Amino acid sequence: MTPELALTGFVALYIFMLAAFTGYEIIGKVPAILHTPLMSGSNFVHGIVLVGAMVALGHAESITGQVIGFIGVVLAAGNAVGGYVVTERMLEMFKSSKD
Amino acid sequence: MNFLIQASYFAAAVLFILGLKRMASPRTAASGIRWAGAGMVVAVLATFFYPDLHNVGLMVVGIVLGGGLAWASGKRVAMTDMPQMVALYNGMGGGAAGAIAAVELYSGNAVAHGTGIAALAVLGGVIGAVSFSGSGIAFAKLQGWMRKAWSMPMHHIINGIVFVFVVLIGIGLMTAEQPSPFWISVFFLLSLFLGLTITTPIGGADMPVVISLYNALTGLAVGFEGFVLGNAAMIIAGTVVGAAGSLLTLLMAKAMNRSLANVLFSGFGADDGTESDGPSGTMTSVEASDAAITMSYAAKVIIVPGYGMAVAQAQHKLWEFVQMLTKADVEVKFAIHPVAGRMPGHMNVLLAEAGVPYDMIFDLDEINEEFAQADAALVIGANDVVNPAARTNESSPIYGMPILNVDHAREVFVIKRGKGTGFSGVENELFFGENTQMVFGDAKDVCSGMVTGLKEL
């Protein structure tokens, strides 16, 4: 890990706390009709795990690490791409009668 | 270069939050996912410029493989099957978080950064692994590959023992100088096992809550692994999803008037429905065309869709029927119970697919008073969410769950495939009510029958 990319303890903790409040606020005011798309959308957002899987694979030296890292990248890419495709398909359909 | 990577991650985090925010309103929702998508592309591209990155070829192969399969399946899946696809993709994310934890633990990197980081790696690992195998079971159940709820003898005790072992081994891993590969493997195998056994006894009716919970857990696991890798984009995106998903899960459990613990550990919705003190009496049945003609002379009709509509793919025919009613000057509204279908808002998605504008669709709180003024209520493939026993019968397993008061309407038509009980296995006294008429048959066939009935009028 390069020091420039690492986060120190309390800064990371502040990020964690603020992000948690943000997530809470976003959901708090959502009409029920959007619960499924939003669950699907948030499912897509945690597809960011792909970035971590890439870093883990990229820094793996042992065969075990490379195999598990590769599996991680495949799964994470599935999460990100699949999450995007199904969310977009769902949201495309929402129309108002005034449109 | 580090500056560029960090700036890209920052931009991605901003785009994720703005995207989710836009997804929270029907008017801007479609653009929201594109904003978030742009954030993802930026973050992934930037990661290729990470310092000392090896195995780049393997990486590209993995992304193309996983992404390609998900693209193909996501494009092809029917709207009805969306819930299990969300479960599947979510499980993949959990598995990826678990894989990161495994790589960092096997290589010793996690431990090298101190006990705090090692603890987060272990925690994210177990949560990710549980979400992976648990989501797999949720997928199998909703896909119909696994119909029965399954539990071992002394299920909770065995789960408890496995859980204690996972905790003990986890503590061992985070405090060891160099954790042994053997114990790391045991740790992950037990975690995967735990995900399976937590999920198998939960009935299909509770799957929406479970999928939502695993979604939140995956987010949390991603956030924890973000700490391990020192990756701010992962921390922010994972934590936002973890918090939003937890709240969504609690809202859903509350809509069923149950606690989350009750959903997870009661095995409710898993029994075979041999209730002895169910309501008795006779059901009155009516032809589809007769029901349609009665409704065409009503001033106000409220429609309550449920999973039966989804299974039969009846939403398009239903919308055709509703348009004919609207032309005959009938006021038509759709009432959606928060847990109708297999995912919150599942019915809204299906109705939207058929072309129903969202301003015709109302939540339980908005519309429940209106049933008393409605001339007719049309229940199509819904059961437990309209069972008056939830209001009146204290011994009923669904007692206390808020329901749609369709029995307050002047006349109630219920489209139902057969005489069996609902997903919860509870008899529905609505079906035996004096103002209730049953229209037996596949929801799509009945809707076609109703359309034909009006055309011939």
Side-chain angles (χ1 to χ4, degrees):
Chain A
M1 182 101 27
T2 44
E4 293 93 324
L5 286 181
L7 290 164
T8 45
F10 267 99
V11 176
L13 204 59
Y14 278 115
I15 295 178
F16 183 77
M17 176 205 55
L18 292 172
F21 279 116
T22 308
Y24 193 83
E25 281 299 310
I26 286 173
I27 281 279
K29 299 171 217 114
V30 172
I33 75 159
L34 283 171
H35 277 175
T36 287
L38 199 70
M39 181 156 97
S40 179
S42 60
N43 175 43
F44 163 69
V45 167
H46 67 53
I48 190 67
V49 70
L50 175 56
V51 164
M54 288 166 70
V55 173
L57 173 60
H59 291 168
E61 276 151 15
S62 66
I63 292 292
T64 326
Q66 286 173 353
V67 170
I68 300 172
F70 178 73
I71 294 172
V73 169
V74 172
L75 291 175
N79 181 186
V81 174
Y84 183 85
V85 171
V86 296
T87 309
E88 196 193 25
R89 279 186 56 193
M90 271 191 251
L91 290 176
E92 275 297 306
M93 296 178 313
F94 282 89
K95 288 183 210 80
S96 160
S97 58
K98 283 152 208 122
D99 291 345
Chain B
M1 201 47 88
N2 277 342
F3 175 79
L4 265 184
I5 295 172
Q6 294 293 18
S8 308
Y9 284 172
F10 181 77
V14 172
L15 285 168
F16 284 153
I17 291 171
L18 287 178
L20 279 174
K21 183 91 194 119
R22 293 181 79 81
M23 273 184 246
S25 157
R27 275 163 14 87
T28 54
S31 67
I33 182 65
R34 293 199 192 96
W35 286 45
M40 189 70 74
V41 171
V42 168
V44 170
L45 288 182
T47 305
F48 278 108
F49 297 97
Y50 228 77
D52 308 321
L53 211 61
H54 305 289
N55 309 323
V56 176
L58 208 54
M59 218 175 274
V60 175
V61 172
I63 293 174
V64 171
L65 186 66
L69 286 175
W71 179 276
S73 59
K75 281 282 178 199
R76 211 171 313 141
V77 63
M79 277 299 150
T80 337
D81 297 336
M82 272 314 168
Q84 53 263 49
M85 291 319 277
V86 173
L88 186 68
Y89 298 139
N90 172 56
M92 294 172 89
I100 295 172
V103 171
E104 297 300 309
L105 284 170
Y106 277 122
S107 71
N109 278 349
V111 180
H113 284 93
T115 310
I117 291 296
L120 286 168
V122 165
L123 208 54
V126 57
I127 295 173
V130 166
S131 174
F132 176 67
S133 56
S135 297
I137 295 290
F139 171 80
K141 285 197 179 217
L142 291 177
Q143 189 74 7
W145 293 352
M146 195 183 151
R147 295 218 175 270
K148 284 267 165 207
W150 174 86
S151 58
M152 300 173 283
M154 299 190 302
H155 196 90
H156 291 314
I157 298 174
I158 294 177
N159 269 355
I161 293 171
V162 174
F163 180 73
V164 169
F165 269 104
V166 169
V167 170
L168 290 178
I169 299 172
I171 292 174
L173 292 182
M174 67 179 89
T175 47
E177 295 226 344
Q178 173 59 52
S180 81
F182 172 76
W183 285 111
I184 296 173
S185 310
V186 172
F187 175 74
F188 279 102
L189 286 177
L190 285 181
S191 300
L192 289 171
F193 177 79
L194 205 54
L196 295 180
T197 54
I198 288 173
T199 323
T200 48
I202 303 175
D206 286 334
M207 275 307 137
V209 184
V210 174
I211 295 174
S212 175
L213 177 68
Y214 284 141
N215 184 45
L217 286 179
T218 303
L220 212 55
V222 170
F224 287 161
E225 298 310 324
F227 280 107
V228 177
L229 298 172
N231 188 312
M234 280 171 75
I235 299 178
I236 293 173
T239 311
V240 166
V241 173
S246 304
L247 182 60
L248 188 55
T249 310
L250 291 175
L251 286 177
M252 285 162 68
K254 201 172 141 213
M256 298 197 290
N257 200 30
R258 317 225 333 254
S259 71
L260 194 54
N262 183 267
V263 171
L264 290 177
F265 302 120
S266 69
F268 172 89
D271 54 13
D272 49 10
T274 43
E275 291 286 310
S276 53
D277 56 347
S280 54
T282 45
M283 298 185 191
T284 328
S285 79
V286 66
E287 287 300 313
S289 52
D290 294 337
I293 291 164
T294 313
M295 279 185 271
S296 71
Y297 287 107
K300 181 169 185 172
V301 174
I302 301 178
I303 299 177
V304 179
Y307 193 59
M309 180 189 81
V311 172
Q313 293 279 8
Q315 60 270 30
H316 302 278
K317 272 289 165 200
L318 178 66
W319 176 229
E320 197 182 333
F321 174 65
V322 168
Q323 284 172 304
M324 294 173 88
L325 287 184
T326 318
K327 246 177 235 156
D329 282 329
V330 183
E331 185 191 0
V332 184
K333 288 182 172 177
F334 288 88
I336 312 279
H337 191 275
V339 294
R342 292 291 178 271
M343 242 182 8
H346 189 193
M347 290 301 124
N348 306 80
V349 171
L350 295 177
L351 292 175
E353 184 197 12
V356 181
Y358 58 77
D359 40 19
M360 278 177 82
I361 303 174
F362 298 88
D363 285 347
L364 181 133
D365 295 337
E366 294 172 319
I367 204 165
N368 229 358
E369 300 295 315
E370 287 189 38
F371 280 103
Q373 290 113 47
D375 300 294
L378 174 63
V379 178
I380 169 164
N383 193 339
D384 296 326
V385 299
V386 294
N387 191 346
R391 282 198 315 259
T392 53
N393 183 357
E394 283 188 39
S395 64
S396 171
I398 60 170
Y399 179 73
M401 177 172 101
I403 58 152
L404 287 161
N405 296 325
V406 289
D407 54 324
H408 291 176
R410 181 117 49 85
E411 263 186 292
V412 183
F413 295 101
V414 179
I415 300 174
K416 199 169 178 304
R417 189 193 290 270
K419 295 192 178 176
T421 55
F423 224 96
S424 69
V426 184
E427 270 296 357
N428 193 337
E429 39 189 80
L430 173 75
F431 303 160
F432 302 92
E434 276 177 13
N435 56 344
T436 304
Q437 290 176 300
M438 306 296 291
V439 190
F440 286 112
D442 172 80
K444 192 174 176 182
D445 296 342
V446 171
C447 286
S448 303
M450 293 197 303
V451 169
T452 323
L454 284 193
K455 273 185 188 153
E456 287 170 356
L457 198 64

